């Protein structure tokens, strides 16, 4: 995208050929030409079809309107010019309002037929039509389009290169306006590319529920070490992860973990934009556009192997399925929500609830593998500065304040807490057996010591220590 306007003076017929060339920019060496296209300006300027400036569909006189009429000639003047170039008599108008008629080259044109929408008579022009200039100008504009003038449009021209004759090298979108420079020129149309807005997305992972249990501990119990990873479409380098809820025996994970994502957003196109290298060998970054989709993965943490992906989901931020308020009613049915009932986070700004995660790799059909409670909020960069919030639970821990999760005592890192492993997994379940085994062992040791020392003690008692 360029959105660049060039304005230059020329003299016809001397400067009748306009050539547009497209180059491949190189940091080192000369730029390579991709292709070119040539436009005959004289032919356009002298054409009765007004090819020098496309004729708009409506004659809008409101200068505050972005679609205001921009030709230096008004519709009636354009119609007279066309009749002159074609050798016809000048147009004549008769009647007023809905009875207004225009005669061109022995043909009659009625205003009420054009403004009915279906070429049927109407009693009077609507209020919307009335703001589009006088009745005569509107009728003249209808007649111009009826007779085949060039409508206002963006041209698509093919690029060609002499090194590859006859083979298209791409296309370029443009339009050309030609005006006499001794007249008051209309202001140029602003075609600059839309500017993206700086936005901030905040995602708080509160809890998970009913996550499948992937592993077994040495006691034979099913468990999972749960953590979540979230990123935005097209921005995988900005992926963020929660901490690990170790040894979840029920599929519940507690996190209270905040993630923040800065991104550029085109509201009109509903796209996330970013400058990125398209390949490893690319020298310059190119503008890329992505759909605003939030990727959510739930993993089982492993130390000696790769983490196991338990479930995932993708949430479109412009067509977001409504979450459920609690985990019990959360199911895969939420993804069947009709499009008209879905919401845009850019309109709602903030939403909280439960979304299901699933796995479809085995059968191709979605299988529910867990539920995740999220709070999603989007705001502008200025709003984010007014309501600061740190990553995870770091300072500034505000908006909202996140407390450390209230995890069960069984949630711990096996290698970092060996004493806790003994206390939780062994002592609480087998303490009476351990005490009984210790007493039995102590008794056996006492009995063995008694047997070992009995002969010497008996000899001493019988003989009094004499040899």
């Amino acid at each position: 995208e360029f959105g660049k306007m060039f304005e230059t003076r020329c003299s016809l017929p001397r400067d009748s050929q306009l050539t547009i060339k497209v180059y491949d920019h190189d940091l080192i060496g000369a730029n390579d030409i991709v292709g070119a296209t040539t436009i005959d300006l004289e032919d356009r300027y002298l054409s009765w079809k007004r090819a020098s400036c496309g004729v708009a569909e409506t004659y809008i006189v409101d200068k505050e309107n972005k679609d205001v009429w921009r030709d230096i000639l008004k519709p009636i003047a354009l119609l007279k010019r066309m009749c002159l170039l074609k050798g016809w008599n000048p147009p004549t108008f008769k009647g007023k309002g809905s009875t207004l008629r225009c005669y061109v080259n022995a043909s009659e044109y009625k205003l009420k037929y054009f403004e009915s929408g279906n070429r049927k008579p109407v009693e009077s022009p609507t209020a919307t039509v009335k703001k589009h200039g006088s009745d005569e100008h509107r009728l003249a504009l209808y007649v111009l389009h009826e007779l085949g003038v060039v409508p206002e449009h963006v041209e698509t021209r093919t690029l060609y290169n002499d090194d590859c004759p006859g083979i298209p090298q791409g296309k370029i979108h443009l339009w050309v306006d030609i005006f006499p420079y001794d007249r008051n020129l209309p202001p140029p149309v602003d075609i600059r590319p839309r500017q993206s807005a700086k936005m901030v997305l905040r995602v708080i992972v509160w809890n998970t529920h009913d996550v499948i249990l992937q592993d077994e501990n040495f006691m034979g119990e099913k468990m999972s070490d749960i953590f979540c990873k979230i990123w935005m479409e097209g921005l995988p380098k900005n992926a963020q992860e929660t901490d690990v809820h170790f040894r979840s025996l029920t599929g519940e994970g507690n996190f209270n973990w905040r993630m923040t994502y800065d991104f550029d957003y085109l509201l009109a196109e509903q796209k996330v934009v970013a400058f990125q290298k398209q390949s490893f060998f690319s020298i310059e970054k190119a503008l890329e556009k992505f759909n605003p989709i939030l990727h959510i993965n739930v993993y089982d943490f492993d130390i000696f192997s790769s983490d196991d992906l338990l479930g995932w989901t993708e949430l479109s931020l412009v067509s977001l399925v409504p979450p459920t308020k609690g985990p019990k009613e959360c199911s895969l049915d939420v993804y069947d929500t009709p499009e008209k009932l879905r919401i845009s986070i850019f309109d709602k700004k903030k939403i909280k609830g439960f979304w299901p995660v699933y796995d479809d790799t085995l059968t191709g059909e979605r299988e529910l593998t867990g539920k995740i409670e999220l709070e999603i909020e989007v705001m502008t960069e200025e709003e984010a500065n007014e309501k600061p919030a740190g990553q995870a639970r770091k300072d500034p821990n505000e908006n909202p304040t996140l407390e450390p999760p209230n995890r069960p005592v069984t949630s711990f890192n096996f290698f970092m807490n060996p004493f806790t492993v003994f206390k939780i997994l062994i002592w609480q379940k087998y303490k009476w057996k351990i005490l009984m085994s210790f007493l039995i062992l102590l008794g056996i040791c006492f009995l063995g010591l008694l047997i070992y020392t009995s002969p010497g003690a008996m000899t001493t008692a019988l003989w009094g220590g004499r040899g």
Side-chain angles (χ1 to χ4, degrees):
E1 294 185 6
F2 298 100
K4 183 72 173 178
M5 192 276 294
F6 297 92
E7 187 175 275
T8 184
R9 290 188 176 186
C10 64
S11 296
L12 297 179
R14 184 190 63 187
D15 307 317
S16 62
Q17 301 295 313
L18 175 65
T19 301
I20 299 103
K21 296 181 179 180
V22 176
Y23 287 87
D24 174 34
H25 174 66
D26 292 328
L27 290 178
I28 302 175
N31 299 325
D32 302 318
I33 185 169
V34 175
T37 183
T38 301
I39 299 173
D40 191 327
L41 300 180
E42 183 181 17
D43 181 64
R44 294 193 176 201
Y45 186 73
L46 298 179
S47 172
W48 65 266
K49 293 186 176 183
R50 196 55 175 172
S52 58
C53 179
V55 181
E57 291 288 338
T58 54
Y59 179 57
I60 300 177
V61 296
D62 182 9
K63 294 184 178 180
E64 300 298 325
N65 194 310
K66 64 181 181 66
D67 296 322
V68 64
W69 183 264
R70 60 187 187 87
D71 201 325
I72 60 175
L73 298 179
K74 296 181 179 180
I76 294 178
L78 288 178
L79 184 58
K80 291 180 179 180
R81 177 183 181 274
M82 183 187 71
C83 293
L84 177 64
L85 293 176
K86 292 181 71 69
W88 296 344
N89 293 326
T92 57
F93 295 87
K94 294 183 180 181
K96 293 184 179 180
S98 60
T99 63
L100 180 64
R101 303 178 303 279
C102 178
Y103 297 91
V104 177
N105 194 29
S107 298
E108 182 185 60
Y109 302 91
K110 296 181 180 181
L111 179 64
K112 60 183 180 182
Y113 283 94
F114 288 106
E115 294 190 342
S116 65
N118 54 4
R119 296 301 174 87
K120 294 181 179 180
V122 292
E123 295 181 358
S124 62
T126 62
T128 303
V129 175
K130 286 182 179 179
K131 70 178 182 179
H132 293 169
S134 66
D135 295 343
E136 289 79 6
H137 281 304
R138 295 202 312 276
L139 180 55
L141 184 57
Y142 292 136
V143 174
L144 286 169
H145 285 290
E146 187 76 6
L147 294 175
V149 296
V150 175
E152 189 177 53
H153 69 289
V154 177
E155 296 183 49
T156 300
R157 299 189 62 85
T158 304
L159 301 172
Y160 292 96
N161 194 320
D162 292 338
D163 294 335
C164 305
I167 301 177
Q169 302 299 308
K171 297 182 183 299
I172 184 172
H173 300 280
L174 54 84
W175 81 80
V176 178
D177 291 333
I178 308 172
F179 300 112
Y181 62 76
D182 58 347
R183 305 284 295 271
N184 293 328
L185 300 181
V189 179
D190 186 3
I191 60 171
R192 291 175 297 178
R194 296 185 180 99
Q195 298 299 311
S196 58
K198 297 287 185 180
M199 306 292 290
V200 177
L201 178 70
R202 291 178 180 173
V203 180
I204 299 178
V205 182
W206 292 104
N207 304 290
T208 60
H209 288 264
D210 302 329
V211 175
I212 60 173
L213 305 179
Q214 185 79 6
D215 299 330
E216 283 188 8
N217 58 25
F218 62 87
M219 305 301 298
E221 297 175 318
K222 283 285 188 179
M223 52 158 279
S224 282
D225 300 324
I226 303 173
F227 74 96
C228 305
K229 180 179 180 180
I230 300 178
W231 72 96
M232 293 189 69
E233 176 84 12
L235 306 174
K237 294 182 179 179
N238 294 341
Q240 300 178 38
E241 299 177 358
T242 65
D243 60 348
V244 182
H245 183 119
F246 288 100
R247 297 188 50 76
S248 174
L249 304 177
T250 63
E252 179 179 355
N254 311 116
F255 299 98
N256 299 355
W257 194 274
R258 181 188 291 111
M259 305 175 182
T260 61
Y261 304 89
D262 298 329
F263 64 100
D264 294 326
Y265 186 66
L266 280 174
L267 181 60
E269 300 181 25
Q270 296 185 337
K271 296 287 186 180
V272 175
V273 297
F275 283 93
Q276 299 183 144
K277 291 186 177 181
Q278 295 181 330
S279 68
F280 177 79
F281 300 99
S282 298
I283 299 177
E284 297 179 324
K285 294 182 178 181
L287 178 66
E288 296 188 46
K289 298 180 181 180
F290 309 97
N291 293 320
I293 297 176
L294 197 64
H295 294 261
I296 302 165
N297 288 2
V298 179
Y299 289 91
D300 172 50
F301 176 75
D302 289 322
I303 296 179
F304 299 109
S305 61
S306 59
D307 302 322
D308 300 319
L309 181 58
L310 303 179
W312 61 88
T313 186
E314 298 176 357
L315 301 179
S316 172
L317 299 182
V318 295
S319 181
L320 184 63
V321 294
T324 60
K325 294 183 178 180
K328 290 184 178 180
E329 57 268 29
C330 183
S331 68
L332 293 175
D333 294 338
V334 300
Y335 295 117
D336 297 328
T337 303
E339 186 67 29
K340 63 181 180 180
L341 298 179
R342 300 192 179 196
I343 57 179
S344 171
I345 193 64
F346 297 97
D347 296 332
K348 193 171 180 61
K349 298 299 183 183
K350 186 176 182 180
I351 193 170
K352 181 181 179 181
F354 287 83
W355 284 272
V357 296
Y358 54 85
D359 183 3
D360 58 3
T361 56
L362 296 178
T363 63
E365 297 183 359
R366 293 176 176 175
E367 296 182 6
L368 183 65
T369 57
K371 305 159 187 179
I372 185 169
E373 183 183 12
L374 300 174
E375 180 176 320
I376 304 174
E377 183 178 13
V378 67
M379 61 188 69
T380 63
E381 190 177 49
E382 293 77 13
E383 293 171 338
N385 292 333
E386 295 174 358
K387 298 170 56 179
Q391 295 272 14
R393 293 183 292 273
K394 298 178 181 179
D395 292 332
N397 190 0
E398 303 174 357
N399 303 304
T401 300
L402 302 180
E403 301 294 337
N406 185 21
R407 292 171 177 168
V409 293
T410 55
S411 179
F412 57 86
N413 191 334
F414 185 91
F415 294 96
M416 298 297 293
N417 303 272
F419 180 75
T420 305
V421 174
F422 175 79
K423 178 182 177 182
I424 299 298
L425 299 183
I426 301 177
W427 180 253
Q428 288 187 354
K429 290 189 175 182
Y430 305 102
K431 60 181 178 181
W432 296 114
K433 293 183 180 180
I434 293 175
L435 289 175
M436 186 63 67
S437 300
F438 178 75
L439 291 176
I440 293 174
L441 181 62
L442 186 62
I444 292 175
C445 291
F446 177 77
L447 183 61
L449 182 64
L450 181 63
I451 295 174
Y452 178 76
T453 58
S454 292
M458 293 177 63
T459 301
T460 302
L462 292 175
W463 302 101
R466 291 173 299 181

